[in-house]
C-alpha cells in the first residue's frame, strides 16, 4: 500500500482518537463527576521570524499559502500611479500580526505612519459581500481607490456594481461590525 494511504489512515485514526477523548471528557463532566485536573498544554512554538498565529480580533484577509497580506502586493502602491506593485521581502513588516510587503523603504515608512490610510477597507473583504451581510474573500488585483480608501473585490462585476451604486458603501459600513463578528479568526 502506498505511503500516502497509510499517512491518511493514520491521520484519520488520530482525529478519531482526539474526538473520542473529547467526548469522554464531556460525558464525565456532565455526570456530576469531578472534572479531571486540566494539564497545561505547551504553547505551539513557531520558527524565529514568523508572525504569531492568528488571534481573536484579527480579521485582515491574507493569502492562505504565503500568509502575506494582499498576496504580497504593496498596500501603499495602490495609491500611486502605476497601480499595485509587488512587495519585496527586504521591505517586509509585521503589523498587527500580519505580514505586509512593500516595494520600497519609503512605502514601508508611509504605511507605518498611517496604516489605516493604506490598509484595505473592510479588512480586505469584498464590500458587496459586506453590504449583503457576509464576509466574501476578494482578489487584491481587483480593486478601486475611492477618495483615499482602498477597496478590494471578488470579481470585476462586483467592482463595477460598487462604483455605480454609492448606496452599497453605506450598506457595507452599516453592516461591517456585524459581519466582522462572523469572521472566523
Amino acid at each position: 500500500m502506498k505511503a500516502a494511504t497509510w499517512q491518511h489512515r493514520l491521520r484519520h485514526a488520530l482525529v478519531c482518537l482526539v474526538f473520542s477523548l473529547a467526548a469522554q471528557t464531556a460525558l464525565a463532566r456532565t455526570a456530576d463527576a469531578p472534572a479531571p485536573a486540566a494539564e497545561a498544554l505547551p504553547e505551539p512554538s513557531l520558527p524565529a521570524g514568523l508572525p504569531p498565529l492568528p488571534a481573536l480580533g484579527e480579521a485582515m484577509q491574507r493569502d492562505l499559502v504565503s500568509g502575506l497580506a494582499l498576496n504580497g502586493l504593496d498596500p501603499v502602491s495602490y495609491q500611486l500611479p502605476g497601480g499595485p506593485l509587488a512587495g519585496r521581502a527586504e521591505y517586509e513588516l509585521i503589523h498587527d500580526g500580519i505580514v505586509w510587503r512593500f516595494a520600497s523603504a519609503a512605502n514601508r515608512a508611509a504605511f507605518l505612519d498611517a496604516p489605516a490610510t493604506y490598509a484595505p477597507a473592510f479588512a480586505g473583504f469584498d464590500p458587496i459581500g459586506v453590504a449583503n451581510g457576509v464576509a466574501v474573500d476578494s482578489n487584491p488585483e481587483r480593486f478601486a481607490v475611492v477618495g483615499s480608501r482602498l477597496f478590494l473585490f471578488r470579481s470585476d462585476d462586483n467592482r463595477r456594481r460598487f462604483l455605480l451604486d454609492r448606496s452599497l458603501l453605506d450598506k457595507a459600513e452599516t453592516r461591517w461590525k456585524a459581519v466582522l463578528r462572523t469572521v472566523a479568526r
Side-chain angles (χ1 to χ4, degrees):
M1 193 172 289
K2 291 184 177 180
T5 304
W6 282 107
Q7 289 173 347
H8 175 74
R9 288 183 179 178
L10 181 59
R11 258 190 310 249
H12 181 72
L14 287 172
V15 168
C16 290
L17 178 63
V18 168
F19 281 121
S20 173
L21 290 173
Q24 288 176 357
T25 302
L27 287 174
R29 287 184 179 164
T30 59
D32 291 327
E39 292 183 24
L41 295 175
E43 288 291 321
S45 63
L46 297 171
L50 291 178
L53 294 172
L56 290 176
E58 179 180 317
M60 177 61 204
Q61 196 177 203
R62 57 181 156 177
D63 180 38
L64 296 178
V65 177
S66 68
L68 299 172
L70 303 174
N71 293 352
L73 295 174
D74 178 346
V76 176
S77 67
Y78 281 92
Q79 308 277 349
L80 302 174
L85 300 172
R88 298 172 53 183
E90 59 265 27
Y91 302 120
E92 200 168 86
L93 166 71
I94 299 173
H95 177 73
D96 287 339
I98 300 165
V99 180
W100 299 83
R101 285 197 174 164
F102 302 90
S104 68
N107 286 7
R108 182 179 59 196
F111 182 87
L112 276 172
D113 285 342
T117 300
Y118 298 108
F122 308 117
F125 292 103
D126 188 324
I128 300 293
V130 175
N132 290 324
V134 293
V136 175
D137 290 342
S138 63
N139 179 346
E141 294 178 11
R142 292 187 173 108
F143 69 94
V145 177
V146 179
S148 64
R149 293 180 73 189
L150 171 63
F151 297 93
L152 304 177
F153 302 92
R154 182 174 192 87
S155 67
D156 291 328
D157 183 53
N158 282 7
R159 180 182 184 277
R160 186 174 60 259
R161 285 179 48 211
F162 180 79
L163 292 174
L164 291 174
D165 185 356
R166 292 294 182 192
S167 70
L168 291 170
L169 177 57
D170 294 334
K171 287 179 188 174
E173 287 181 347
T174 300
R175 294 183 176 161
W176 173 235
K177 285 185 180 180
V179 170
L180 182 57
R181 286 193 295 268
T182 67
V183 174
R185 296 171 266 218

